[in-house]
Amino acid sequence: MTPPTDSRRGFLGRAIALLAGGTALLAPAVWGSIAFLNPLRLKGRSGGFRRLASLDQLPEDGTPLRLTILDERTDAWTRYPIDAVGAVFVRRTGKDRVEALQVTCPHLGCSIVYQAAPGGGAFLCPCHQAHFDLNGKRIDLPSQSPRDMDALEVEIRNRNEVWVKYQTFASGTAKKIATS
Amino acid sequence: MLHWLNDRTGCCDAWRRRADAPLPGGAGWWKTLPAAVLFVFCVQAITGFFLWTYYSPGAQSAWESVYYLQSEVAGGWLLRAAHHYAGQTLPVLVGLYLIKQVFSGTYRRTYEAVFWITLLMALCTLGLLLTGDLLAWSQNSYAATQVRVKFLTLLPGVGEGLYRIAVGGPAFGNLTLTRFLALHVGLLSGGMALLLILHGVFLRRADHNLLPSPFGRGAGGEGKGTKAPEPALTLTLSQRERGLSTFWPDQAWRNALVWLGILAVILLLALMHGTEGPDRGIKLGSPADLDPAHYYAAARPEWIFRGLYQFAQYFPGLWTVIPIFVIPGVLLAVFLLMPWFGKNVVGHFFNLLLTAFLVSAVAVLSYLSYMHDAQDPAYSAALKEEDNLAERVIQLARAKGIPPTGALTLLRNDPLTQGRRVFQQHCAACHTGAGVPAVDATAPNLTGFASRPWLAGLLDPQKIRSADYFGYKDSPFKGGRMVGHVMELLSDLDDDEKEDLKKLIMALSAEARLPAQRNIDARDAKDIEAGRKLIAEGEFGCTDCHRFHGKGQRVGPELTGYGSTEWITAITGNPASKRFYGARNDRMPAYAETDDETKNLLRNHDLEMTAEWLRGEWFRPKK
Ligand code: FES
């Protein structure tokens, strides 16, 4: 049997050793982690509406054009004054109606390609072979893609200008969640 | 001296204890596996360190630094290849070791801790492969890693956040490389080293527990807290007498031979593609291109993940989370519990069956995946294209050096690469051009545009109405003025007129200053001069409709500088401008309608690249 004073001292000592030692070790880990988690605060750049093309540039038969979104791009410390930041498919659906689709696949973010075919083309994602029709609807259900292609807002201004609100969306979800 | 060292550090004692510790079950070849893992890890640490001395993580410097190592540094390519192949060997060896433990039953008492450590080592080596793959920053490594990391977004709620943490921001870039490098050489390599040390300690302890006293604590004797007596050094002789083999040298020589064997295999693999040329060692693909328009469609994971890759294809959409996270997670848990299952015969049998099943499933799935790719023409086409790109960028880097903006700039400024791409994406819907066939030919064939033979065809009454010129599908020009003019005026020419027409063609073609015609243009300077006059004021009536060096009407396209880079860039920028077709323009889009590049369909630079590509004007290395 150890005397009570001893055991109290022993307890205190152990507690101090664990607490003080633990705190000392934890502190650098915590502030390191805060820096490490910084990317969570960064947001993708949202460009708002931009003029992409004029109406008469778009083929009347509804063939989609793949248009590159040129914008300033920042990669951590590097700034590209003008660079390709994304792309959209734009196509005519009527005399003065235009539809725009994000090229990024809603599954895992590969770039969807348009496959032209004499009878009328379709969209295909080369990564896991998700197929979409010209309206961006999935065709080969059950599809690899959790949702249809992401439609973007389009406005026709001054009768001939096609303006598109370029946005990116979270991949891997059935819901369309804007990430920029 | 040695005595003194031993006295202070105990190193000799420790070595003797290790060397003379008897091995339960004796020495054997299967027992070389952990030593083999240790060896390959050492190879990785050594080669990795030297690679690191050349490596520069960064979107404009990662590929470039690897390229430099690969092509400029003596033996650099071999270093990189050795690191690559040893890296592939490591998970194989760890996997074999794991399987060996299951099949020989040594994952159970008293080896549980050894088994768990091996499992962690397996995870660690896979992590090393995954992070190492990206560092070369080639098109394949970027694209494959991109999809792989995107799997994280499938996790509900936390996915997007995890993705950002892994990537270092909303998208791949500089910070992805710094992070992956830190994980690769810091966390995972350090972790692996720690695991190897723990493995050694635990293995010795487990052996020790099994050995009969006085060497150990008696068969299966898990002494509760009582420290077993250290085997005395003097026991060596009697161990031998009793037929127990010891680590030194019975196991050690086997280990050493296996090490040599592995080294030979790694070297053979590294030398497989010879010691010369860009293919030597392990090939470096083209630099990672983050432009979504240049997405690499043939990105595939390393062979070891092929089975999983194929398996994931059977789960559509959001279900992908099952093969990627749920099933591997469950399997990991099952494996962690295996020592506990294995306590009775049924459990052990289950463990054996599961392991055998997994190994064969992975083998079959990998085979299916490779078979699928082998039969997929789109895949082979993308591979071929990537090969060409890699070859081209190295050719350019060699000749011109890499600019501060990185090697990708070389490709962006290369008509052969960029011009062809733009043509493929934007022009080939209607036009055929230099080996790129039109999807649906509804415009003239531009192969050899503005060259003498091309113009000779255009001005030939037999050909102008063919599909290659103005006779394409739905052409409004088929019955147009130009066609009428050619049919009427250029049929039934006499010999003199034929000569004149030839000179006219030479002169018009000379406007383009095509690189391929440089010599003949210089040779025919006189005829070209005569031809110019014929265009400007001759019988053929060109200037009735076309502008030519300040003369003539603006009805058809201008002929001054016809086919030059400036001319092509201008007509593709806006074909419906007064200088060209005006209102008569048939469906050709205006690719640079405004002065603000961000509002145009294409950047001016891309139009230039396309023009130069059409003109066959690009860098060719001297033989
Ligand atoms: S990323 Fe498009 S199908 Fe998987």
Side-chain angles (χ1 to χ4, degrees):
Chain A
M1 262 274 197
T2 35
T5 46
D6 246 26
S7 99
R8 195 182 310 143
R9 208 186 61 200
F11 170 76
L12 242 165
R14 278 189 288 254
I16 290 175
L18 285 178
L19 273 175
T23 316
L25 277 178
L26 222 58
V30 168
W31 78 64
S33 306
I34 291 174
F36 188 72
L37 297 181
N38 189 58
L40 288 178
R41 301 192 307 129
L42 306 175
K43 259 242 153 205
R45 198 179 132 94
S46 156
F49 275 93
R50 60 182 80 214
R51 203 202 108 146
L52 276 189
S54 46
L55 199 53
D56 29 84
Q57 289 172 330
L58 303 181
E60 266 156 46
D61 59 358
T63 306
L65 279 189
R66 185 184 197 292
L67 302 181
T68 303
I69 304 292
L70 296 171
D71 202 350
E72 181 181 292
R73 182 166 80 83
T74 315
D75 171 12
W77 50 84
T78 312
R79 176 167 299 169
Y80 304 83
I82 183 168
D83 201 16
V85 292
V88 287
F89 288 114
V90 180
R91 67 184 204 97
R92 240 188 221 212
T93 48
K95 200 173 162 324
D96 43 15
R97 288 230 319 276
V98 172
E99 231 177 54
L101 296 168
Q102 168 63 267
V103 300
T104 307
C105 181
H107 181 222
L108 292 173
C110 292
S111 282
I112 295 168
V113 294
Y114 170 66
Q115 286 198 316
F123 294 115
L124 166 77
C125 179
C127 284
H128 313 97
Q129 274 77 43
H131 285 80
F132 308 87
D133 68 13
L134 281 178
N135 300 312
K137 297 260 168 318
R138 289 164 290 175
I139 21 191
D140 51 350
L141 291 164
S143 171
Q144 285 288 357
S145 178
R147 58 174 191 266
D148 295 336
M149 284 168 76
D150 297 313
L152 299 167
E153 288 174 52
V154 186
E155 279 177 14
I156 308 289
R157 299 187 187 168
N158 304 326
R159 258 194 255 115
N160 196 26
E161 296 171 13
V162 182
W163 289 68
V164 173
K165 184 169 176 196
Y166 183 72
Q167 276 185 302
T168 52
F169 301 91
S171 64
T173 62
K175 264 217 309 247
K176 185 175 161 190
I177 307 167
T179 53
S180 74
Chain B
M1 180 68 188
L2 216 57
H3 270 292
W4 173 83
L5 200 64
N6 189 35
D7 186 47
R8 296 297 191 276
T9 63
C11 59
C12 300
D13 290 347
W15 166 246
R16 296 306 306 249
R17 271 202 300 280
R18 168 91 180 97
D20 296 337
L23 302 163
W29 289 105
W30 279 111
K31 286 189 177 169
T32 58
L33 273 170
V37 173
L38 176 69
F39 167 70
V40 177
F41 179 74
C42 288
V43 171
Q44 287 307 70
I46 296 167
T47 51
F49 169 78
F50 289 112
L51 289 178
W52 197 5
T53 61
Y54 277 97
Y55 187 67
S56 165
Q60 283 85 27
S61 63
W63 184 92
E64 289 73 6
S65 67
V66 177
Y67 161 77
Y68 180 78
L69 176 82
Q70 174 97 359
S71 59
E72 307 284 322
V73 175
W77 64 272
L78 190 59
L79 196 63
R80 188 169 161 255
H83 193 74
H84 174 88
Y85 286 114
Q88 313 276 316
T89 323
L90 203 52
V92 174
L93 289 172
V94 176
L96 275 178
Y97 185 35
L98 209 60
I99 293 167
K100 179 239 159 187
Q101 289 180 31
V102 174
F103 279 85
S104 66
T106 50
Y107 63 101
R108 296 175 294 184
R109 224 175 54 153
T110 57
Y111 290 92
E112 297 93 335
V114 176
F115 180 70
W116 287 326
I117 289 287
T118 317
L119 261 181
L120 291 180
M121 284 205 275
L123 292 181
C124 217
T125 48
L126 293 183
L128 281 164
L129 269 190
L130 286 179
T131 48
D133 190 17
L134 180 74
L135 297 180
W137 202 232
S138 66
Q139 192 67 309
N140 184 70
S141 76
Y142 157 66
T145 310
Q146 148 83 16
V147 176
R148 219 179 265 163
V149 183
K150 272 274 180 182
F151 279 134
L152 288 173
T153 60
L154 290 171
L155 295 170
V158 292
E160 189 67 25
L162 287 178
Y163 176 78
R164 277 156 177 260
I165 293 171
V167 165
F172 271 58
N174 286 314
L175 293 177
T176 320
L177 284 163
T178 53
R179 266 167 201 240
F180 272 55
L181 179 66
L183 282 178
H184 188 76
V185 302
L187 203 65
L188 291 168
S189 295
M192 188 72 187
L194 186 71
L195 288 174
L196 279 164
I197 293 171
L198 287 180
H199 172 268
V201 173
F202 293 171
L203 180 62
R204 208 103 49 80
R205 189 156 185 93
D207 279 349
H208 192 67
N209 286 340
L210 267 190
L211 284 167
S213 51
F215 312 110
R217 282 189 276 174
E222 286 171 82
K224 291 202 174 65
T226 48
K227 212 166 180 281
E230 300 283 353
L233 299 181
T234 45
L235 280 174
T236 320
L237 256 185
S238 59
Q239 282 163 24
R240 287 268 160 72
E241 281 160 7
R242 293 168 64 163
L244 278 173
S245 34
T246 53
F247 173 78
W248 186 265
D250 306 296
Q251 188 61 43
W253 68 260
R254 287 184 174 85
N255 288 354
L257 281 185
V258 168
W259 289 10
L260 266 188
I262 292 175
L263 186 70
V265 170
I266 291 173
L267 279 180
L268 270 181
L269 286 170
L271 295 170
M272 195 163 53
H273 301 293
T275 56
E276 293 295 331
D279 280 352
R280 67 187 177 180
I282 174 84
K283 202 173 168 184
L284 179 60
S286 70
D289 189 340
L290 272 56
D291 184 342
H294 302 156
Y295 200 84
Y296 179 42
R300 290 293 182 271
E302 304 246 33
W303 63 271
I304 200 149
F305 297 106
R306 269 305 182 101
L308 187 60
Y309 172 83
Q310 178 71 15
F311 187 48
Q313 308 265 326
Y314 303 125
F315 294 78
L318 297 178
W319 297 106
T320 315
V321 79
I322 293 176
I324 301 295
F325 294 106
V326 179
I327 293 179
V330 169
L331 279 177
L332 183 64
V334 171
F335 266 82
L336 283 173
L337 291 175
M338 267 192 178
W340 184 76
F341 295 151
K343 278 186 179 164
N344 60 52
V345 186
V346 183
H348 179 55
F349 192 67
F350 167 80
N351 290 344
L352 290 184
L353 222 59
L354 180 68
T355 312
F357 171 74
L358 267 183
V359 173
S360 22
V362 169
V364 169
L365 286 168
S366 307
Y367 172 76
L368 287 177
S369 175
Y370 281 105
M371 281 313 284
H372 180 271
D373 279 348
Q375 288 157 0
D376 180 0
Y379 173 78
S380 343
L383 268 194
K384 182 92 200 25
E385 181 139 1
E386 158 61 16
D387 273 354
N388 291 341
L389 219 55
E391 200 178 304
R392 180 67 176 164
V393 71
I394 285 169
Q395 206 173 60
L396 291 168
R398 209 159 267 155
K400 305 185 171 193
I402 295 172
T405 45
L408 214 50
T409 311
L410 291 171
L411 291 177
R412 291 277 194 277
N413 294 339
D414 177 31
L416 181 59
T417 307
Q418 186 68 3
R420 187 168 189 276
R421 260 180 179 163
V422 173
F423 189 89
Q424 253 168 347
Q425 281 172 11
H426 295 274
C427 317
C430 310
H431 290 282
T432 293
V436 179
V439 177
D440 188 12
T442 51
N445 182 341
L446 298 177
T447 310
F449 175 70
S451 66
R452 290 183 188 181
W454 192 88
L455 285 171
L458 178 72
L459 298 179
D460 181 341
Q462 312 289 325
K463 291 189 183 154
I464 188 168
R465 277 167 53 170
S466 75
D468 280 343
Y469 295 98
F470 285 133
Y472 58 82
K473 201 162 106 194
D474 306 330
S475 167
F477 299 119
K478 201 168 179 177
R481 282 215 229 171
M482 180 72 188
V483 172
H485 191 70
V486 168
M487 306 287 287
E488 197 178 303
L489 203 74
L490 304 182
S491 304
D492 313 315
L493 297 179
D494 63 31
D495 284 352
D496 277 354
E497 288 167 329
K498 273 187 189 154
E499 272 308 303
D500 281 352
L501 181 61
K502 250 193 203 153
K503 285 177 192 162
L504 180 145
I505 287 170
M506 280 182 197
L508 188 54
S509 185
E511 291 290 306
R513 296 175 188 279
L514 291 175
Q517 290 185 175
R518 199 164 294 149
N519 291 338
I520 52 172
D521 278 350
R523 185 195 66 198
D524 301 333
K526 260 211 191 110
D527 289 342
I528 287 171
E529 200 43 56
R532 279 219 182 100
K533 280 218 180 77
L534 286 167
I535 298 176
E537 50 216 40
E539 330 278 79
F540 295 103
C542 302
T543 43
D544 293 352
C545 296
H546 298 279
R547 281 300 272 184
F548 187 68
H549 292 287
K551 290 205 180 84
Q553 304 300 311
R554 282 196 195 279
V555 180
E558 166 154 12
L559 298 181
T560 319
Y562 184 84
S564 66
T565 304
E566 192 279 328
W567 190 93
I568 299 177
T569 312
I571 196 173
T572 45
N574 192 359
S577 73
K578 270 219 153 127
R579 185 176 163 194
F580 301 106
Y581 285 104
R584 249 179 237 93
N585 180 38
D586 181 20
R587 295 153 284 174
M588 169 87 183
Y591 283 100
E593 209 180 15
T594 72
D595 290 337
D596 179 356
E597 283 191 276
T598 61
K599 294 196 173 118
N600 293 339
L601 294 182
L602 282 172
R603 298 169 69 169
N604 296 339
H605 176 73
D606 284 343
L607 292 180
E608 269 165 42
M609 289 296 112
T610 314
E612 285 176 19
W613 175 73
L614 264 182
R615 292 162 44 78
E617 199 164 29
W618 59 75
F619 170 79
R620 291 172 176 83
K622 289 193 190 75
K623 286 274 148 60

